[in-house]
């Protein structure tokens, strides 16, 4: 019995290639905040200057969560957030492309009977 290729095989292959290029991908936001430190005699805190810190805010099981991000990971997290936005946009576009491919396959398949 001959196997018929799926109508969306090309879309799937293309999407998986794009997905690999979008690693890492995150959803949420990154915020820089200023916080006092825990040292009792910190000169910066004594002047009223606070220390910069970065927080990643995201949703988990419907609840908002925040995690501290070390400064050396900030560029990678920003890239991941940008990639996450690109991935979301690609998923939206993929839905209509997938349906269009299905309709083209349906219209070009001879009817049985």
């Amino acid at each position: 019995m001959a196997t018929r290729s799926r109508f969306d095989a090309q879309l799937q292959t293309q999407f998986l290639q794009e997905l690999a290029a979008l690693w890492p991908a995150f959803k949420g936001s990154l915020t820089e905040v200023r916080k006092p430190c825990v040292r009792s005699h910190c000169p910066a805190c004594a002047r009223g200057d606070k220390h910069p810190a970065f927080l990643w805010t995201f949703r988990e099981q419907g609840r908002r969560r925040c995690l501290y991000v070390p400064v050396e990971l900030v560029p990678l997290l920003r890239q991941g957030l940008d990639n996450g936005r690109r991935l979301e946009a690609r998923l939206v576009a993929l839905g209509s492309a997938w349906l269009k491919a299905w309709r083209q396959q349906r219209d070009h398949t001879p009817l049985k009977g």
Side-chain angles (χ1 to χ4, degrees):
M1 175 185 209
T3 60
R4 192 172 64 154
S5 65
R6 284 187 56 150
F7 69 92
D8 61 353
Q10 183 180 359
L11 275 174
Q12 182 182 19
T13 301
Q14 181 183 356
F15 175 71
L16 292 174
Q17 290 171 350
E18 291 172 7
L19 184 61
L22 289 176
W23 185 256
F26 308 122
K27 187 170 181 172
S29 62
L30 182 66
T31 306
E32 182 178 0
V33 295
R34 300 230 167 230
K35 301 173 89 175
C37 68
V38 296
R39 295 181 296 162
S40 58
H41 300 297
C42 173
C45 292
R47 286 190 308 269
D49 297 336
K50 296 179 182 178
H51 301 276
F54 291 89
L55 297 176
W56 173 39
T57 305
F58 59 97
R59 292 221 173 252
E60 184 176 66
Q61 297 179 352
R63 300 187 68 168
R64 187 173 58 189
R65 299 271 325 263
C66 295
L67 290 176
Y68 166 77
V69 178
V71 70
E72 61 268 14
L73 291 180
V74 168
L76 189 57
L77 186 67
R78 282 191 175 132
Q79 178 189 358
L81 292 169
D82 288 342
N83 288 345
R85 285 189 277 280
R86 287 186 192 103
L87 178 58
E88 269 191 305
R90 183 62 183 116
L91 287 171
V92 170
L94 187 61
S96 61
W98 183 84
L99 192 55
K100 182 179 177 183
W102 177 82
R103 287 178 177 158
Q104 287 176 344
Q105 180 265 340
R106 177 197 63 189
D107 294 344
H108 288 77
T109 302
L111 296 174
K112 294 181 182 178

